[in-house]
Amino acid sequence: MSLSIVTSVSPGGVVEIAPRGEIDVDTAHEVREAVAAVLTKSRPSRIELNMRLVTFIDSVGISAMVAGFQTAEVSGVKLLVTEPSRFVHRQLWVTGLLGLFGAPEPYFAGTAPAPEVPSTGV
């Protein structure tokens, strides 16, 4: 599977980088380059790396994310991960890097909050 990346800017000046697919040894450089491209063009208040559509990430992909975080930090820009897929969330948790990226909760496709169950008074 390949990787595609969509970059968008919100009205508040937050830049979202949304990779889709697998981030591995063959594609990790694309994530690093996407962060660098944003920082070359502007200094947003924040970069959000939306990882909802990432189906796989290996150690090289994690390294690219850390490199992007460091590049953003040197530029005075905060980089956060948003909506990580369950796989990405697990990899960030296992590596101890979840907190570095803002400790986001995993994204669960098609799930809604659990309905409240009425109290039975027992």
Side-chain angles (χ1 to χ4, degrees):
M1 180 171 213
S2 63
L3 180 71
S4 63
I5 298 176
V6 175
T7 302
S8 58
V9 181
S10 73
V14 174
V15 174
E16 180 183 77
I17 299 172
R20 178 186 190 129
E22 298 179 356
I23 303 175
D24 58 20
V25 68
D26 295 324
T27 60
H29 68 279
E30 295 178 42
V31 173
R32 199 172 40 252
E33 291 167 1
V35 171
V38 166
L39 295 170
T40 298
K41 294 176 186 173
S42 67
R43 290 291 180 266
S45 58
R46 184 173 71 239
I47 296 174
E48 294 181 351
L49 196 54
N50 186 317
M51 303 293 280
R52 175 181 38 186
L53 299 175
V54 175
T55 56
F56 176 82
I57 189 165
D58 66 7
S59 61
V60 179
I62 298 281
S63 178
M65 289 175 61
V66 171
F69 176 88
Q70 292 170 332
T71 301
E73 188 172 65
V74 166
S75 299
V77 177
K78 184 73 174 168
L79 186 144
L80 299 172
V81 168
T82 61
E83 299 184 333
S85 65
R86 291 177 66 196
F87 187 85
V88 170
H89 186 271
R90 174 86 175 144
Q91 296 306 95
L92 291 176
W93 181 79
V94 166
T95 59
L97 294 171
L98 192 60
L100 180 71
F101 294 105
E105 291 295 319
Y107 175 79
F108 293 100
T111 60
E116 288 191 33
V117 178
S119 173
T120 59
V122 177

